[in-house]
Amino acid sequence: TCALPICTERENEVLLRVAKGFTLPEIGQQLNLSRHTIADYVKQIYRKLNVSSRAEAALEAQRLGLFRR
């Protein structure tokens, strides 16, 4: 199930890892994707959540219940 309805399942996976403090290369390695692909996901997430930083994204994810899986 999609934790944040506005985000895809993959975006939710990336957002969860961003919120946990992983770097883009670390997230890429975990999801078997390039850091550039992860960076694109992060940009999409920021745009969808209307945020401009990791901290804001993490707070918004928490507010929207992403961590209550």
PDB file of all heavy atoms in Angstrom, residues 10-37:
ATOM      1  N   ARG A  10       7.655   3.615  -4.915  1.00  0.00           N
ATOM      2  CA  ARG A  10       9.107   3.829  -4.978  1.00  0.00           C
ATOM      3  C   ARG A  10       9.482   5.150  -4.315  1.00  0.00           C
ATOM      4  O   ARG A  10      10.461   5.238  -3.584  1.00  0.00           O
ATOM      5  CB  ARG A  10       9.574   3.801  -6.439  1.00  0.00           C
ATOM      6  CG  ARG A  10      11.054   4.004  -6.589  1.00  0.00           C
ATOM      7  CD  ARG A  10      11.856   2.895  -5.938  1.00  0.00           C
ATOM      8  NE  ARG A  10      12.162   1.870  -6.895  1.00  0.00           N
ATOM      9  CZ  ARG A  10      12.798   0.741  -6.597  1.00  0.00           C
ATOM     10  NH1 ARG A  10      13.208   0.517  -5.374  1.00  0.00           N
ATOM     11  NH2 ARG A  10      13.032  -0.156  -7.512  1.00  0.00           N
ATOM     12  N   GLU A  11       8.695   6.193  -4.574  1.00  0.00           N
ATOM     13  CA  GLU A  11       8.976   7.491  -3.939  1.00  0.00           C
ATOM     14  C   GLU A  11       8.867   7.376  -2.431  1.00  0.00           C
ATOM     15  O   GLU A  11       9.669   7.957  -1.698  1.00  0.00           O
ATOM     16  CB  GLU A  11       8.015   8.562  -4.473  1.00  0.00           C
ATOM     17  CG  GLU A  11       8.311   8.972  -5.901  1.00  0.00           C
ATOM     18  CD  GLU A  11       7.225   9.810  -6.537  1.00  0.00           C
ATOM     19  OE1 GLU A  11       6.103   9.886  -5.991  1.00  0.00           O
ATOM     20  OE2 GLU A  11       7.497  10.395  -7.594  1.00  0.00           O
ATOM     21  N   ASN A  12       7.889   6.605  -1.959  1.00  0.00           N
ATOM     22  CA  ASN A  12       7.773   6.396  -0.516  1.00  0.00           C
ATOM     23  C   ASN A  12       8.999   5.685   0.042  1.00  0.00           C
ATOM     24  O   ASN A  12       9.486   6.028   1.126  1.00  0.00           O
ATOM     25  CB  ASN A  12       6.511   5.592  -0.182  1.00  0.00           C
ATOM     26  CG  ASN A  12       5.254   6.425  -0.263  1.00  0.00           C
ATOM     27  OD1 ASN A  12       5.272   7.616   0.010  1.00  0.00           O
ATOM     28  ND2 ASN A  12       4.158   5.800  -0.642  1.00  0.00           N
ATOM     29  N   GLU A  13       9.515   4.694  -0.687  1.00  0.00           N
ATOM     30  CA  GLU A  13      10.719   3.977  -0.244  1.00  0.00           C
ATOM     31  C   GLU A  13      11.898   4.943  -0.150  1.00  0.00           C
ATOM     32  O   GLU A  13      12.669   4.898   0.814  1.00  0.00           O
ATOM     33  CB  GLU A  13      11.068   2.860  -1.225  1.00  0.00           C
ATOM     34  CG  GLU A  13      10.103   1.700  -1.238  1.00  0.00           C
ATOM     35  CD  GLU A  13      10.418   0.699  -2.340  1.00  0.00           C
ATOM     36  OE1 GLU A  13      11.444   0.842  -3.018  1.00  0.00           O
ATOM     37  OE2 GLU A  13       9.626  -0.240  -2.519  1.00  0.00           O
ATOM     38  N   VAL A  14      12.026   5.808  -1.158  1.00  0.00           N
ATOM     39  CA  VAL A  14      13.122   6.783  -1.171  1.00  0.00           C
ATOM     40  C   VAL A  14      12.933   7.787  -0.037  1.00  0.00           C
ATOM     41  O   VAL A  14      13.874   8.070   0.716  1.00  0.00           O
ATOM     42  CB  VAL A  14      13.205   7.497  -2.544  1.00  0.00           C
ATOM     43  CG1 VAL A  14      14.192   8.656  -2.498  1.00  0.00           C
ATOM     44  CG2 VAL A  14      13.592   6.500  -3.633  1.00  0.00           C
ATOM     45  N   LEU A  15      11.725   8.307   0.119  1.00  0.00           N
ATOM     46  CA  LEU A  15      11.446   9.302   1.162  1.00  0.00           C
ATOM     47  C   LEU A  15      11.736   8.743   2.546  1.00  0.00           C
ATOM     48  O   LEU A  15      12.338   9.422   3.387  1.00  0.00           O
ATOM     49  CB  LEU A  15       9.994   9.770   1.066  1.00  0.00           C
ATOM     50  CG  LEU A  15       9.524  10.752   2.140  1.00  0.00           C
ATOM     51  CD1 LEU A  15      10.405  11.996   2.180  1.00  0.00           C
ATOM     52  CD2 LEU A  15       8.074  11.137   1.893  1.00  0.00           C
ATOM     53  N   LEU A  16      11.349   7.513   2.784  1.00  0.00           N
ATOM     54  CA  LEU A  16      11.596   6.891   4.086  1.00  0.00           C
ATOM     55  C   LEU A  16      13.097   6.848   4.380  1.00  0.00           C
ATOM     56  O   LEU A  16      13.537   7.179   5.479  1.00  0.00           O
ATOM     57  CB  LEU A  16      11.006   5.475   4.116  1.00  0.00           C
ATOM     58  CG  LEU A  16      11.029   4.753   5.459  1.00  0.00           C
ATOM     59  CD1 LEU A  16      10.243   5.527   6.503  1.00  0.00           C
ATOM     60  CD2 LEU A  16      10.470   3.349   5.306  1.00  0.00           C
ATOM     61  N   ARG A  17      13.881   6.516   3.371  1.00  0.00           N
ATOM     62  CA  ARG A  17      15.338   6.435   3.558  1.00  0.00           C
ATOM     63  C   ARG A  17      15.962   7.827   3.704  1.00  0.00           C
ATOM     64  O   ARG A  17      16.884   8.016   4.489  1.00  0.00           O
ATOM     65  CB  ARG A  17      15.962   5.651   2.405  1.00  0.00           C
ATOM     66  CG  ARG A  17      15.690   4.160   2.508  1.00  0.00           C
ATOM     67  CD  ARG A  17      16.010   3.426   1.221  1.00  0.00           C
ATOM     68  NE  ARG A  17      16.009   1.979   1.406  1.00  0.00           N
ATOM     69  CZ  ARG A  17      14.915   1.232   1.373  1.00  0.00           C
ATOM     70  NH1 ARG A  17      13.740   1.785   1.155  1.00  0.00           N
ATOM     71  NH2 ARG A  17      14.987  -0.073   1.553  1.00  0.00           N
ATOM     72  N   VAL A  18      15.453   8.786   2.957  1.00  0.00           N
ATOM     73  CA  VAL A  18      15.922  10.177   3.107  1.00  0.00           C
ATOM     74  C   VAL A  18      15.654  10.636   4.539  1.00  0.00           C
ATOM     75  O   VAL A  18      16.524  11.206   5.201  1.00  0.00           O
ATOM     76  CB  VAL A  18      15.218  11.114   2.095  1.00  0.00           C
ATOM     77  CG1 VAL A  18      15.421  12.581   2.467  1.00  0.00           C
ATOM     78  CG2 VAL A  18      15.732  10.851   0.687  1.00  0.00           C
ATOM     79  N   ALA A  19      14.449  10.366   5.013  1.00  0.00           N
ATOM     80  CA  ALA A  19      14.060  10.787   6.368  1.00  0.00           C
ATOM     81  C   ALA A  19      14.904  10.103   7.436  1.00  0.00           C
ATOM     82  O   ALA A  19      15.136  10.673   8.499  1.00  0.00           O
ATOM     83  CB  ALA A  19      12.577  10.494   6.600  1.00  0.00           C
ATOM     84  N   LYS A  20      15.388   8.897   7.139  1.00  0.00           N
ATOM     85  CA  LYS A  20      16.243   8.182   8.095  1.00  0.00           C
ATOM     86  C   LYS A  20      17.688   8.646   8.032  1.00  0.00           C
ATOM     87  O   LYS A  20      18.523   8.187   8.798  1.00  0.00           O
ATOM     88  CB  LYS A  20      16.159   6.671   7.849  1.00  0.00           C
ATOM     89  CG  LYS A  20      14.843   6.070   8.293  1.00  0.00           C
ATOM     90  CD  LYS A  20      14.828   4.572   8.074  1.00  0.00           C
ATOM     91  CE  LYS A  20      13.549   3.963   8.633  1.00  0.00           C
ATOM     92  NZ  LYS A  20      13.514   2.505   8.456  1.00  0.00           N
ATOM     93  N   GLY A  21      17.996   9.534   7.067  1.00  0.00           N
ATOM     94  CA  GLY A  21      19.327  10.118   7.016  1.00  0.00           C
ATOM     95  C   GLY A  21      20.311   9.474   6.071  1.00  0.00           C
ATOM     96  O   GLY A  21      21.501   9.811   6.087  1.00  0.00           O
ATOM     97  N   PHE A  22      19.850   8.553   5.248  1.00  0.00           N
ATOM     98  CA  PHE A  22      20.757   7.926   4.286  1.00  0.00           C
ATOM     99  C   PHE A  22      21.125   8.916   3.183  1.00  0.00           C
ATOM    100  O   PHE A  22      20.325   9.772   2.816  1.00  0.00           O
ATOM    101  CB  PHE A  22      20.112   6.684   3.652  1.00  0.00           C
ATOM    102  CG  PHE A  22      19.970   5.525   4.594  1.00  0.00           C
ATOM    103  CD1 PHE A  22      18.738   5.177   5.108  1.00  0.00           C
ATOM    104  CD2 PHE A  22      21.077   4.773   4.967  1.00  0.00           C
ATOM    105  CE1 PHE A  22      18.595   4.105   5.981  1.00  0.00           C
ATOM    106  CE2 PHE A  22      20.949   3.694   5.835  1.00  0.00           C
ATOM    107  CZ  PHE A  22      19.704   3.368   6.350  1.00  0.00           C
ATOM    108  N   THR A  23      22.340   8.796   2.655  1.00  0.00           N
ATOM    109  CA  THR A  23      22.771   9.653   1.544  1.00  0.00           C
ATOM    110  C   THR A  23      22.191   9.109   0.239  1.00  0.00           C
ATOM    111  O   THR A  23      21.739   7.955   0.179  1.00  0.00           O
ATOM    112  CB  THR A  23      24.309   9.671   1.431  1.00  0.00           C
ATOM    113  OG1 THR A  23      24.752   8.358   1.068  1.00  0.00           O
ATOM    114  CG2 THR A  23      24.973  10.126   2.731  1.00  0.00           C
ATOM    115  N   LEU A  24      22.242   9.936  -0.811  1.00  0.00           N
ATOM    116  CA  LEU A  24      21.742   9.482  -2.113  1.00  0.00           C
ATOM    117  C   LEU A  24      22.472   8.231  -2.607  1.00  0.00           C
ATOM    118  O   LEU A  24      21.825   7.273  -3.056  1.00  0.00           O
ATOM    119  CB  LEU A  24      21.802  10.606  -3.147  1.00  0.00           C
ATOM    120  CG  LEU A  24      20.967  11.854  -2.843  1.00  0.00           C
ATOM    121  CD1 LEU A  24      21.057  12.843  -3.992  1.00  0.00           C
ATOM    122  CD2 LEU A  24      19.535  11.516  -2.540  1.00  0.00           C
ATOM    123  N   PRO A  25      23.825   8.197  -2.532  1.00  0.00           N
ATOM    124  CA  PRO A  25      24.510   6.958  -2.953  1.00  0.00           C
ATOM    125  C   PRO A  25      24.103   5.736  -2.118  1.00  0.00           C
ATOM    126  O   PRO A  25      23.960   4.637  -2.661  1.00  0.00           O
ATOM    127  CB  PRO A  25      25.998   7.282  -2.761  1.00  0.00           C
ATOM    128  CG  PRO A  25      26.066   8.775  -2.840  1.00  0.00           C
ATOM    129  CD  PRO A  25      24.780   9.260  -2.228  1.00  0.00           C
ATOM    130  N   GLU A  26      23.896   5.925  -0.810  1.00  0.00           N
ATOM    131  CA  GLU A  26      23.481   4.806   0.045  1.00  0.00           C
ATOM    132  C   GLU A  26      22.094   4.305  -0.356  1.00  0.00           C
ATOM    133  O   GLU A  26      21.859   3.095  -0.438  1.00  0.00           O
ATOM    134  CB  GLU A  26      23.467   5.226   1.520  1.00  0.00           C
ATOM    135  CG  GLU A  26      24.839   5.391   2.122  1.00  0.00           C
ATOM    136  CD  GLU A  26      24.830   6.023   3.506  1.00  0.00           C
ATOM    137  OE1 GLU A  26      23.850   6.717   3.868  1.00  0.00           O
ATOM    138  OE2 GLU A  26      25.828   5.827   4.227  1.00  0.00           O
ATOM    139  N   ILE A  27      21.188   5.239  -0.604  1.00  0.00           N
ATOM    140  CA  ILE A  27      19.826   4.859  -1.017  1.00  0.00           C
ATOM    141  C   ILE A  27      19.884   4.141  -2.360  1.00  0.00           C
ATOM    142  O   ILE A  27      19.221   3.121  -2.559  1.00  0.00           O
ATOM    143  CB  ILE A  27      18.904   6.095  -1.093  1.00  0.00           C
ATOM    144  CG1 ILE A  27      18.762   6.738   0.296  1.00  0.00           C
ATOM    145  CG2 ILE A  27      17.533   5.717  -1.653  1.00  0.00           C
ATOM    146  CD1 ILE A  27      18.111   8.117   0.279  1.00  0.00           C
ATOM    147  N   GLY A  28      20.695   4.667  -3.272  1.00  0.00           N
ATOM    148  CA  GLY A  28      20.855   4.032  -4.574  1.00  0.00           C
ATOM    149  C   GLY A  28      21.338   2.598  -4.445  1.00  0.00           C
ATOM    150  O   GLY A  28      20.839   1.696  -5.123  1.00  0.00           O
ATOM    151  N   GLN A  29      22.298   2.402  -3.562  1.00  0.00           N
ATOM    152  CA  GLN A  29      22.837   1.059  -3.356  1.00  0.00           C
ATOM    153  C   GLN A  29      21.767   0.134  -2.766  1.00  0.00           C
ATOM    154  O   GLN A  29      21.614  -1.007  -3.200  1.00  0.00           O
ATOM    155  CB  GLN A  29      24.049   1.134  -2.417  1.00  0.00           C
ATOM    156  CG  GLN A  29      24.889  -0.110  -2.406  1.00  0.00           C
ATOM    157  CD  GLN A  29      26.206   0.115  -1.660  1.00  0.00           C
ATOM    158  OE1 GLN A  29      26.264   0.877  -0.700  1.00  0.00           O
ATOM    159  NE2 GLN A  29      27.249  -0.562  -2.099  1.00  0.00           N
ATOM    160  N   GLN A  30      21.004   0.643  -1.793  1.00  0.00           N
ATOM    161  CA  GLN A  30      19.958  -0.168  -1.155  1.00  0.00           C
ATOM    162  C   GLN A  30      18.876  -0.576  -2.148  1.00  0.00           C
ATOM    163  O   GLN A  30      18.334  -1.679  -2.064  1.00  0.00           O
ATOM    164  CB  GLN A  30      19.315   0.611  -0.004  1.00  0.00           C
ATOM    165  CG  GLN A  30      20.227   0.826   1.176  1.00  0.00           C
ATOM    166  CD  GLN A  30      19.651   1.811   2.182  1.00  0.00           C
ATOM    167  OE1 GLN A  30      18.493   2.203   2.098  1.00  0.00           O
ATOM    168  NE2 GLN A  30      20.470   2.219   3.132  1.00  0.00           N
ATOM    169  N   LEU A  31      18.539   0.334  -3.073  1.00  0.00           N
ATOM    170  CA  LEU A  31      17.449   0.071  -4.016  1.00  0.00           C
ATOM    171  C   LEU A  31      17.957  -0.374  -5.388  1.00  0.00           C
ATOM    172  O   LEU A  31      17.171  -0.544  -6.318  1.00  0.00           O
ATOM    173  CB  LEU A  31      16.571   1.318  -4.158  1.00  0.00           C
ATOM    174  CG  LEU A  31      15.904   1.812  -2.866  1.00  0.00           C
ATOM    175  CD1 LEU A  31      15.103   3.072  -3.129  1.00  0.00           C
ATOM    176  CD2 LEU A  31      15.032   0.731  -2.262  1.00  0.00           C
ATOM    177  N   ASN A  32      19.272  -0.554  -5.491  1.00  0.00           N
ATOM    178  CA  ASN A  32      19.913  -0.981  -6.740  1.00  0.00           C
ATOM    179  C   ASN A  32      19.613  -0.005  -7.889  1.00  0.00           C
ATOM    180  O   ASN A  32      19.265  -0.413  -8.995  1.00  0.00           O
ATOM    181  CB  ASN A  32      19.498  -2.416  -7.101  1.00  0.00           C
ATOM    182  CG  ASN A  32      20.501  -3.092  -8.011  1.00  0.00           C
ATOM    183  OD1 ASN A  32      21.682  -2.735  -8.019  1.00  0.00           O
ATOM    184  ND2 ASN A  32      20.042  -4.054  -8.776  1.00  0.00           N
ATOM    185  N   LEU A  33      19.734   1.287  -7.595  1.00  0.00           N
ATOM    186  CA  LEU A  33      19.530   2.350  -8.571  1.00  0.00           C
ATOM    187  C   LEU A  33      20.713   3.306  -8.506  1.00  0.00           C
ATOM    188  O   LEU A  33      21.411   3.347  -7.497  1.00  0.00           O
ATOM    189  CB  LEU A  33      18.242   3.130  -8.270  1.00  0.00           C
ATOM    190  CG  LEU A  33      16.941   2.338  -8.322  1.00  0.00           C
ATOM    191  CD1 LEU A  33      15.807   3.138  -7.708  1.00  0.00           C
ATOM    192  CD2 LEU A  33      16.620   1.960  -9.758  1.00  0.00           C
ATOM    193  N   SER A  34      20.917   4.099  -9.543  1.00  0.00           N
ATOM    194  CA  SER A  34      22.018   5.062  -9.506  1.00  0.00           C
ATOM    195  C   SER A  34      21.657   6.237  -8.593  1.00  0.00           C
ATOM    196  O   SER A  34      20.477   6.521  -8.364  1.00  0.00           O
ATOM    197  CB  SER A  34      22.322   5.580 -10.910  1.00  0.00           C
ATOM    198  OG  SER A  34      21.390   6.577 -11.283  1.00  0.00           O
ATOM    199  N   ARG A  35      22.702   6.925  -8.092  1.00  0.00           N
ATOM    200  CA  ARG A  35      22.433   8.078  -7.225  1.00  0.00           C
ATOM    201  C   ARG A  35      21.687   9.159  -7.998  1.00  0.00           C
ATOM    202  O   ARG A  35      20.937   9.927  -7.434  1.00  0.00           O
ATOM    203  CB  ARG A  35      23.713   8.616  -6.607  1.00  0.00           C
ATOM    204  CG  ARG A  35      24.615   9.354  -7.592  1.00  0.00           C
ATOM    205  CD  ARG A  35      25.729  10.135  -6.928  1.00  0.00           C
ATOM    206  NE  ARG A  35      25.284  11.172  -6.032  1.00  0.00           N
ATOM    207  CZ  ARG A  35      24.735  12.326  -6.405  1.00  0.00           C
ATOM    208  NH1 ARG A  35      24.534  12.588  -7.673  1.00  0.00           N
ATOM    209  NH2 ARG A  35      24.387  13.219  -5.516  1.00  0.00           N
ATOM    210  N   HIS A  36      21.882   9.200  -9.334  1.00  0.00           N
ATOM    211  CA  HIS A  36      21.200  10.199 -10.160  1.00  0.00           C
ATOM    212  C   HIS A  36      19.702   9.904 -10.249  1.00  0.00           C
ATOM    213  O   HIS A  36      18.884  10.822 -10.213  1.00  0.00           O
ATOM    214  CB  HIS A  36      21.825  10.252 -11.560  1.00  0.00           C
ATOM    215  CG  HIS A  36      23.283  10.564 -11.516  1.00  0.00           C
ATOM    216  ND1 HIS A  36      23.764  11.808 -11.149  1.00  0.00           N
ATOM    217  CD2 HIS A  36      24.370   9.799 -11.747  1.00  0.00           C
ATOM    218  CE1 HIS A  36      25.084  11.788 -11.171  1.00  0.00           C
ATOM    219  NE2 HIS A  36      25.484  10.581 -11.532  1.00  0.00           N
ATOM    220  N   THR A  37      19.369   8.629 -10.338  1.00  0.00           N
ATOM    221  CA  THR A  37      17.956   8.234 -10.340  1.00  0.00           C
ATOM    222  C   THR A  37      17.322   8.592  -9.000  1.00  0.00           C
ATOM    223  O   THR A  37      16.209   9.121  -8.951  1.00  0.00           O
ATOM    224  CB  THR A  37      17.820   6.717 -10.612  1.00  0.00           C
ATOM    225  OG1 THR A  37      18.421   6.435 -11.875  1.00  0.00           O
ATOM    226  CG2 THR A  37      16.370   6.281 -10.615  1.00  0.00           C
TER     227      THR A  37
END
